[in-house]
Amino acid sequence: MLQQIDDKIRQAYNYLHENGEISWQEYKTTNYIEEILQSYGCETETFDACPGVVGKYGNFDGTVPVVALRADIDALWQEVNGTQCANHSCGHDSHMAMVLGVLYLIHSLEDLKDQVAVKFIFQPAEEKAAGALKMVELGVVEDVDYLFGVHLRPQAEVDDGYATPMIGHGATKLMEIEIDGEDAHGARPHLTHNAVNVGTQLVNAINQIRMNPGVPHSAKVTKFHAGGPNTNIIPGKASLSLDLRAQTNPVMAELEEQVEHIFKSIEFQYGTTIKVGAINQIAAAMTNEEAIEVMRGAVVSELGADYTLEPTVTPGGDDFHFYTIKKPELKATMLGLGCDLNPGLHHPYMTFNQDRMIDGTRILTRAVLNVYGFNKEFSN
């Protein structure tokens, strides 16, 4: 049974890996997954407002708890082998394959369908930090009691073959900034404030932020564009992107305050305008001990106590945690799966041990069964 399910997981992974789609454009992915969900007896729901699909498997008459599994479905836009393309360098292709694997495995335990209520949430736009909020807005988790997620972990955090029952993500804020001034002739620098100089001052000020080193945090400029093809024009405008990170929400608030002070100081110094455009924000993880213990038991059952780690803290972010922020009573946690992932997440040539996808599927399935108190064996 497990070998057949492993083959199906790899088949789904290969398709999803080769057909990645960026945030808010995941329509082919949605259609592919919806067909699989329906073929296994799920009632499916798609949305006019966005891509994404939800499958309901089992008995939703209110007599049993509803357990949901969430997989993020978007890819990143990156240069790979000299070509810009949608690339699943964050492992979302494997997350989808594993959550589908849970459906395959639960369905193989035929006597359970009337005794469980499992919701499979395939969520768009995690990389934009907006998909989870959209799913909440659409009422996807209103009836959910437990929510489980999964994410591949880099080798630096979780060794191959190990797993952690909770990923303690930090808070993230992504900001688009515009320096708004007028161009001038290269011979008349006194007529404008060079946006390159203004932007450089901003970069230097961001790099000088100092806060409590006891709480991990960082602030950095990840894009800086000014000027055009004419080298004799002093640019008055520039665009920058900022990436702010903090392990806790209070430290993120302090970091945001310092950045805002920098903006105001530079505006006053140069007599220019700094406009804050699009903002994507992810809150730090809100943990639930009951969900963590359910997942811990699942990891111990499937991998053994020696391969079960304590909750892992990471500076990375994930919009998964908006589900619990918007619905605090939700019992949620995210499985962290060690899989020899190198060189790291978001690297265009990221690789991982694909054999671990069946481990992730077994652990997630065991967590679902643990909620209902079922002790089923997964036969080979």
Side-chain angles (χ1 to χ4, degrees):
M1 177 180 68
L2 284 180
Q3 183 57 57
Q4 292 175 339
I5 289 170
D6 188 25
D7 292 342
K8 291 179 180 178
I9 292 169
R10 290 173 185 269
Q11 180 181 5
Y13 169 80
N14 289 335
Y15 173 85
L16 295 163
H17 182 76
E18 294 298 326
N19 294 276
E21 296 174 292
I22 60 173
S23 302
W24 300 126
Q25 303 298 317
E26 312 97 322
Y27 289 105
K28 291 181 181 178
T29 302
T30 295
N31 293 337
Y32 174 79
I33 293 170
E34 183 180 25
E35 289 181 4
I36 294 175
L37 292 172
Q38 291 176 347
S39 72
Y40 278 83
C42 287
E43 174 188 340
T44 60
E45 179 183 12
T46 54
F47 312 97
D48 294 334
C50 65
V53 58
V54 175
K56 295 170 68 174
Y57 182 90
N59 174 13
F60 284 79
D61 64 2
T63 60
V64 294
V66 176
V67 182
L69 296 118
R70 173 270 206 172
D72 30 19
I73 69 175
D74 54 333
L76 292 158
W77 189 253
Q78 292 182 302
E79 181 178 317
V80 182
N81 296 324
T83 301
Q84 291 287 334
C85 62
N87 183 39
H88 275 298
S89 59
C90 203
H92 294 184
D93 43 6
S94 71
H95 303 165
M96 289 183 276
M98 285 186 279
V99 169
L100 287 172
V102 175
L103 172 61
Y104 303 152
L105 189 48
I106 289 179
H107 185 72
S108 71
L109 306 170
E110 296 178 357
D111 59 327
L112 287 185
K113 187 168 185 180
D114 292 335
Q115 303 177 63
V116 300
V118 184
K119 187 176 276 193
F120 298 91
I121 301 171
F122 292 88
Q123 173 215 301
E126 187 279 329
E127 297 295 352
K128 293 292 186 180
L133 288 171
K134 191 63 178 179
M135 293 292 101
V136 172
E137 176 189 325
L138 293 168
V140 167
V141 294
E142 284 184 2
D143 61 344
V144 174
D145 300 293
Y146 294 83
L147 177 66
F148 300 132
V150 59
H151 208 301
L152 305 183
R153 300 321 300 157
Q155 184 70 20
E157 289 184 6
V158 180
D159 283 337
D160 185 31
Y162 291 75
T164 174
M166 190 276 284
I167 305 172
H169 287 105
T172 302
K173 187 169 187 177
L174 310 176
M175 308 172 67
E176 297 294 334
I177 308 301
E178 291 185 4
I179 298 169
D180 190 21
E182 299 295 331
D183 292 350
H185 194 286
R188 299 172 180 85
H190 62 289
L191 295 181
T192 191
H193 290 287
N194 190 331
V196 174
N197 294 338
V198 177
T200 301
Q201 181 73 6
L202 192 152
V203 172
N204 290 335
I206 293 290
N207 288 339
Q208 291 301 313
I209 290 177
R210 297 290 182 267
M211 300 197 317
N212 179 6
V215 180
H217 63 276
S218 67
K220 57 275 183 193
V221 175
T222 55
K223 182 186 78 174
F224 186 166
H225 177 79
N230 296 104
T231 57
N232 62 344
I233 294 176
I234 299 172
K237 299 181 184 293
S239 61
L240 299 92
S241 296
L242 302 185
D243 181 305
L244 310 181
R245 307 265 169 168
Q247 200 58 54
T248 67
N249 293 321
V251 171
M252 173 57 77
E254 183 182 350
L255 187 58
E256 291 172 347
E257 184 178 345
Q258 292 213 27
V259 169
E260 289 295 330
H261 179 71
I262 288 170
F263 291 165
K264 292 177 181 177
S265 297
I266 292 176
E267 283 182 319
F268 178 79
Q269 179 180 353
Y270 286 93
T272 190
T273 300
I274 296 177
K275 296 180 178 179
V276 179
I279 296 176
N280 292 316
Q281 189 158 4
I282 299 174
M286 292 180 60
T287 61
N288 179 272
E289 289 303 320
E290 182 177 344
I292 293 170
E293 287 308 308
V294 169
M295 189 63 73
R296 188 194 309 275
V299 177
V300 170
S301 176
E302 298 305 315
L303 299 185
D306 290 344
Y307 294 89
T308 304
L309 302 179
E310 291 302 308
T312 297
V313 175
T314 176
D318 197 295
D319 77 347
F320 178 85
H321 306 294
F322 279 129
Y323 289 108
T324 48
I325 287 173
K326 294 298 182 179
K327 186 180 179 182
E329 67 271 24
L330 192 61
K331 300 169 184 176
T333 193
M334 178 177 280
L335 170 70
L337 191 66
C339 54
D340 193 28
L341 190 154
N342 281 292
L345 294 167
H346 290 203
H347 190 284
Y349 303 107
M350 181 272 281
T351 63
F352 69 99
N353 181 356
Q354 296 180 20
D355 292 342
R356 298 306 174 198
M357 289 192 292
I358 190 65
D359 291 346
T361 295
R362 288 166 44 217
I363 294 167
L364 290 171
T365 305
R366 182 64 61 193
V368 172
L369 298 182
N370 285 350
V371 170
Y372 297 106
F374 298 139
N375 185 21
K376 299 284 185 178
E377 295 297 324
F378 306 143
S379 63
N380 292 318

